[in-house]
């Protein structure tokens, strides 16, 4: 049996840590950049996900320091995290390639109603209407 697909917050967190260790605020900024602003991870969601990933052994605490009187942890991917991210990237690549192959194989044509008709237009794909 294959493993379940990675949830998007996990994928984004691991991706954000793939090239360098980062602390919480930097992770929030990086996730926003990776998703082109589509995902704005809240602090509670972030730290809950980080705790889960720590327990799963996908990330580790790279360093801890006190900044402005507050503890700041910097997180990094473990080898297991790198492997999980690489596996998910390959799964996504395979799905995207299959989607592109299928889209290229069938060029839908729009069947338009006669002028003045109140009927809807349908897309004809392989002899069937969608």
């Amino acid at each position: 049996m294959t493993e379940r697909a990675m949830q998007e917050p996990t994928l984004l967190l691991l991706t954000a840590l793939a090239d360098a260790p980062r602390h919480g605020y930097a992770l929030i900024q990086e996730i926003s950049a990776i998703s082109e602003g589509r995902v704005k991870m809240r602090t509670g969601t972030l730290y809950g996900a980080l705790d889960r990933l720590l327990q799963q052994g996908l990330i580790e605490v790279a360093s801890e320091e006190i900044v402005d009187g507050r503890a700041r942890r910097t997180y990094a991917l473990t080898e297991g995290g790198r492997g999980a991210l690489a596996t998910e990237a390959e799964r996504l690549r395979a799905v995207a390639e299959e989607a592109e192959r299928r889209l290229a194989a069938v060029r839908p044509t729009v069947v338009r109603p006669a002028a003045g008709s109140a009927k809807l237009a349908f897309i004809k794909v392989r002899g069937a209407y969608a």
Side-chain angles (χ1 to χ4, degrees), residues 110-129:
V110 176
V111 178
R112 304 218 179 267
S117 172
K119 294 181 182 178
L120 296 174
F122 291 93
I123 297 176
K124 186 175 183 180
V125 179
R126 291 191 186 154
Y129 290 95

mmCIF file of all heavy atoms in Angstrom, residues 110-129:
data_model
loop_
_atom_site.group_PDB
_atom_site.id
_atom_site.type_symbol
_atom_site.label_atom_id
_atom_site.label_comp_id
_atom_site.label_asym_id
_atom_site.label_seq_id
_atom_site.Cartn_x
_atom_site.Cartn_y
_atom_site.Cartn_z
ATOM 1 N N VAL A 110 -15.734 23.113 -27.871
ATOM 2 C CA VAL A 110 -16.973 23.682 -27.354
ATOM 3 C C VAL A 110 -18.023 23.616 -28.447
ATOM 4 O O VAL A 110 -17.802 24.069 -29.568
ATOM 5 C CB VAL A 110 -16.758 25.139 -26.889
ATOM 6 C CG1 VAL A 110 -18.069 25.759 -26.437
ATOM 7 C CG2 VAL A 110 -15.718 25.189 -25.788
ATOM 8 N N VAL A 111 -19.145 22.999 -28.130
ATOM 9 C CA VAL A 111 -20.264 22.935 -29.058
ATOM 10 C C VAL A 111 -21.196 24.080 -28.688
ATOM 11 O O VAL A 111 -21.784 24.090 -27.618
ATOM 12 C CB VAL A 111 -20.994 21.566 -28.946
ATOM 13 C CG1 VAL A 111 -22.174 21.525 -29.879
ATOM 14 C CG2 VAL A 111 -20.025 20.435 -29.214
ATOM 15 N N ARG A 112 -21.294 25.040 -29.560
ATOM 16 C CA ARG A 112 -22.077 26.245 -29.269
ATOM 17 C C ARG A 112 -23.496 26.093 -29.829
ATOM 18 O O ARG A 112 -23.691 25.514 -30.887
ATOM 19 C CB ARG A 112 -21.420 27.458 -29.891
ATOM 20 C CG ARG A 112 -19.973 27.622 -29.439
ATOM 21 C CD ARG A 112 -19.640 29.079 -29.246
ATOM 22 N NE ARG A 112 -18.274 29.252 -28.804
ATOM 23 C CZ ARG A 112 -17.906 29.330 -27.539
ATOM 24 N NH1 ARG A 112 -18.798 29.263 -26.591
ATOM 25 N NH2 ARG A 112 -16.638 29.503 -27.202
ATOM 26 N N PRO A 113 -24.455 26.609 -29.086
ATOM 27 C CA PRO A 113 -25.834 26.563 -29.571
ATOM 28 C C PRO A 113 -26.012 27.505 -30.768
ATOM 29 O O PRO A 113 -25.194 28.392 -30.987
ATOM 30 C CB PRO A 113 -26.642 27.039 -28.373
ATOM 31 C CG PRO A 113 -25.694 27.857 -27.559
ATOM 32 C CD PRO A 113 -24.330 27.270 -27.799
ATOM 33 N N ALA A 114 -27.064 27.294 -31.503
ATOM 34 C CA ALA A 114 -27.369 28.160 -32.650
ATOM 35 C C ALA A 114 -27.617 29.580 -32.154
ATOM 36 O O ALA A 114 -28.039 29.784 -31.020
ATOM 37 C CB ALA A 114 -28.598 27.636 -33.380
ATOM 38 N N ALA A 115 -27.329 30.542 -33.010
ATOM 39 C CA ALA A 115 -27.523 31.948 -32.647
ATOM 40 C C ALA A 115 -28.958 32.176 -32.200
ATOM 41 O O ALA A 115 -29.893 31.668 -32.797
ATOM 42 C CB ALA A 115 -27.182 32.836 -33.831
ATOM 43 N N GLY A 116 -29.128 32.918 -31.127
ATOM 44 C CA GLY A 116 -30.454 33.229 -30.626
ATOM 45 C C GLY A 116 -31.056 32.128 -29.765
ATOM 46 O O GLY A 116 -32.137 32.296 -29.217
ATOM 47 N N SER A 117 -30.385 31.011 -29.648
ATOM 48 C CA SER A 117 -30.893 29.905 -28.848
ATOM 49 C C SER A 117 -30.616 30.155 -27.373
ATOM 50 O O SER A 117 -29.599 30.715 -27.004
ATOM 51 C CB SER A 117 -30.230 28.601 -29.279
ATOM 52 O OG SER A 117 -30.582 27.562 -28.396
ATOM 53 N N ALA A 118 -31.505 29.714 -26.506
ATOM 54 C CA ALA A 118 -31.335 29.885 -25.063
ATOM 55 C C ALA A 118 -30.623 28.680 -24.446
ATOM 56 O O ALA A 118 -30.440 28.626 -23.247
ATOM 57 C CB ALA A 118 -32.697 30.079 -24.403
ATOM 58 N N LYS A 119 -30.193 27.715 -25.276
ATOM 59 C CA LYS A 119 -29.529 26.524 -24.757
ATOM 60 C C LYS A 119 -28.109 26.852 -24.312
ATOM 61 O O LYS A 119 -27.483 27.769 -24.819
ATOM 62 C CB LYS A 119 -29.488 25.425 -25.823
ATOM 63 C CG LYS A 119 -30.850 24.891 -26.185
ATOM 64 C CD LYS A 119 -30.712 23.810 -27.214
ATOM 65 C CE LYS A 119 -32.071 23.301 -27.617
ATOM 66 N NZ LYS A 119 -31.982 22.295 -28.646
ATOM 67 N N LEU A 120 -27.608 26.063 -23.381
ATOM 68 C CA LEU A 120 -26.241 26.234 -22.883
ATOM 69 C C LEU A 120 -25.249 25.587 -23.837
ATOM 70 O O LEU A 120 -25.575 24.651 -24.544
ATOM 71 C CB LEU A 120 -26.101 25.576 -21.503
ATOM 72 C CG LEU A 120 -26.939 26.157 -20.383
ATOM 73 C CD1 LEU A 120 -26.780 25.297 -19.137
ATOM 74 C CD2 LEU A 120 -26.515 27.586 -20.085
ATOM 75 N N ALA A 121 -24.031 26.065 -23.806
ATOM 76 C CA ALA A 121 -22.949 25.435 -24.567
ATOM 77 C C ALA A 121 -22.400 24.284 -23.747
ATOM 78 O O ALA A 121 -22.364 24.325 -22.526
ATOM 79 C CB ALA A 121 -21.859 26.453 -24.855
ATOM 80 N N PHE A 122 -21.981 23.209 -24.409
ATOM 81 C CA PHE A 122 -21.398 22.054 -23.752
ATOM 82 C C PHE A 122 -20.014 21.803 -24.321
ATOM 83 O O PHE A 122 -19.718 22.181 -25.447
ATOM 84 C CB PHE A 122 -22.273 20.803 -23.965
ATOM 85 C CG PHE A 122 -23.573 20.868 -23.236
ATOM 86 C CD1 PHE A 122 -24.710 21.358 -23.851
ATOM 87 C CD2 PHE A 122 -23.656 20.444 -21.918
ATOM 88 C CE1 PHE A 122 -25.905 21.419 -23.173
ATOM 89 C CE2 PHE A 122 -24.850 20.504 -21.236
ATOM 90 C CZ PHE A 122 -25.978 20.989 -21.862
ATOM 91 N N ILE A 123 -19.209 21.123 -23.545
ATOM 92 C CA ILE A 123 -17.889 20.739 -24.023
ATOM 93 C C ILE A 123 -17.969 19.291 -24.443
ATOM 94 O O ILE A 123 -18.419 18.431 -23.688
ATOM 95 C CB ILE A 123 -16.826 20.934 -22.937
ATOM 96 C CG1 ILE A 123 -16.740 22.420 -22.594
ATOM 97 C CG2 ILE A 123 -15.474 20.403 -23.386
ATOM 98 C CD1 ILE A 123 -15.790 22.721 -21.461
ATOM 99 N N LYS A 124 -17.533 19.008 -25.668
ATOM 100 C CA LYS A 124 -17.566 17.651 -26.192
ATOM 101 C C LYS A 124 -16.182 17.036 -26.030
ATOM 102 O O LYS A 124 -15.192 17.577 -26.508
ATOM 103 C CB LYS A 124 -17.968 17.668 -27.661
ATOM 104 C CG LYS A 124 -18.173 16.302 -28.256
ATOM 105 C CD LYS A 124 -18.685 16.406 -29.681
ATOM 106 C CE LYS A 124 -18.957 15.049 -30.234
ATOM 107 N NZ LYS A 124 -19.438 15.104 -31.596
ATOM 108 N N VAL A 125 -16.125 15.927 -25.298
ATOM 109 C CA VAL A 125 -14.889 15.232 -25.060
ATOM 110 C C VAL A 125 -15.097 13.765 -25.404
ATOM 111 O O VAL A 125 -15.951 13.101 -24.831
ATOM 112 C CB VAL A 125 -14.442 15.345 -23.578
ATOM 113 C CG1 VAL A 125 -13.166 14.590 -23.337
ATOM 114 C CG2 VAL A 125 -14.295 16.814 -23.177
ATOM 115 N N ARG A 126 -14.339 13.253 -26.378
ATOM 116 C CA ARG A 126 -14.428 11.850 -26.795
ATOM 117 C C ARG A 126 -15.858 11.410 -27.072
ATOM 118 O O ARG A 126 -16.301 10.370 -26.632
ATOM 119 C CB ARG A 126 -13.811 10.937 -25.735
ATOM 120 C CG ARG A 126 -12.332 11.082 -25.621
ATOM 121 C CD ARG A 126 -11.762 9.991 -24.761
ATOM 122 N NE ARG A 126 -10.347 10.247 -24.551
ATOM 123 C CZ ARG A 126 -9.680 9.820 -23.530
ATOM 124 N NH1 ARG A 126 -10.259 9.105 -22.607
ATOM 125 N NH2 ARG A 126 -8.424 10.092 -23.402
ATOM 126 N N GLY A 127 -16.589 12.241 -27.741
ATOM 127 C CA GLY A 127 -17.938 11.868 -28.148
ATOM 128 C C GLY A 127 -18.985 12.035 -27.068
ATOM 129 O O GLY A 127 -20.152 11.832 -27.300
ATOM 130 N N ALA A 128 -18.608 12.428 -25.856
ATOM 131 C CA ALA A 128 -19.583 12.623 -24.783
ATOM 132 C C ALA A 128 -19.608 14.104 -24.435
ATOM 133 O O ALA A 128 -18.675 14.833 -24.721
ATOM 134 C CB ALA A 128 -19.184 11.797 -23.564
ATOM 135 N N TYR A 129 -20.673 14.517 -23.825
ATOM 136 C CA TYR A 129 -20.806 15.907 -23.422
ATOM 137 C C TYR A 129 -20.622 16.035 -21.923
ATOM 138 O O TYR A 129 -21.138 15.253 -21.154
ATOM 139 C CB TYR A 129 -22.171 16.463 -23.835
ATOM 140 C CG TYR A 129 -22.303 16.624 -25.320
ATOM 141 C CD1 TYR A 129 -22.887 15.637 -26.090
ATOM 142 C CD2 TYR A 129 -21.816 17.750 -25.942
ATOM 143 C CE1 TYR A 129 -23.000 15.771 -27.455
ATOM 144 C CE2 TYR A 129 -21.913 17.901 -27.318
ATOM 145 C CZ TYR A 129 -22.509 16.899 -28.071
ATOM 146 O OH TYR A 129 -22.602 17.052 -29.413
#
